Amino acid sequence: MGNRLSKIYTRTGDDGSTGLGDGSRVAKDSLRVAAYGTVDELNSTIGMVLAADGVDDAVREVLTQVQHDLFDLGGELCIPGMTMIEDSDIDRLEQVLDSFNEPLPPLKDFILPGGGMAASCCHLARTVCRRAEREVIALARVEEVRPQAQRYLNRLSDLLFVLCRVLARASGHGEVLWQHERRRKPKTS
């Protein structure tokens, strides 16, 4: 690990720039900073899921591993040319996703965010994950980004959706289904 921070503020970012992991400086609103910043935000929202009551050990173990992966992904995005996320990480997400999804009933309706605190936090994490994916795609249009970053986030958002369903059911609140019929108006002659 590089230099440890003993002093939290450095004043070097007061001009609107920040240092990347390779020592170069970029604007704080650059696409690269936005991408790894949103990955950091995603990691924080997963921390909220883990802090909620009623998260069973299997979900907790998976999400803790995901937090480590996201820290790695943030490092990969912060250090141009760095390789951290591998195809095996994506394969692992797919296997976990399949194991959690298999016992769930098939979806017949869209699900609204809700279903208890843990599920709601997981829905928030899912939406932040989708934003992180969009920002990585935007970055990849102008700079080199390995495809594993985008694929990992795409698969993670799918996993988070399935975990929302698992957590809503485990909480006893159940899934909140979108009531699309509520907009249908009776036909009048």
Side-chain angles (χ1 to χ4, degrees), residues 105-127:
L107 276 177
K108 295 181 179 165
D109 295 294
F110 288 105
I111 297 172
L112 298 178
M117 185 56 76
S120 295
C121 290
C122 198
H123 275 290
L124 179 60
R126 174 186 57 78
T127 62

Side-chain angles (χ1 to χ4, degrees), residues 13-126:
D14 291 351
D15 65 354
S17 68
T18 190
L20 296 180
D22 65 359
S24 63
R25 295 202 64 82
V26 297
K28 287 186 179 185
D29 63 352
S30 73
L31 291 175
R32 184 168 294 281
V33 174
Y36 72 72
T38 304
V39 168
D40 185 33
E41 182 183 350
L42 171 58
N43 209 337
S44 295
T45 59
I46 290 175
M48 291 173 58
V49 177
L50 291 170
D53 292 334
V55 177
D56 75 24
D57 290 342
V59 172
R60 186 170 299 285
E61 182 180 333
V62 165
L63 290 179
T64 300
Q65 178 62 52
V66 164
Q67 283 193 303
H68 287 279
D69 292 346
L70 290 173
F71 208 85
D72 292 341
L73 177 57
E76 181 170 324
L77 294 169
C78 181
I79 305 170
M82 173 66 77
T83 299
M84 298 286 283
I85 297 298
E86 300 292 344
D87 290 334
S88 60
D89 297 312
I90 298 158
D91 293 342
R92 186 186 73 248
L93 284 184
E94 289 176 355
Q95 291 169 0
V96 169
L97 193 158
D98 289 343
S99 71
F100 277 108
N101 191 53
E102 194 274 324
L104 294 174
L107 276 177
K108 295 181 179 165
D109 295 294
F110 288 105
I111 297 172
L112 298 178
M117 185 56 76
S120 295
C121 290
C122 198
H123 275 290
L124 179 60
R126 174 186 57 78

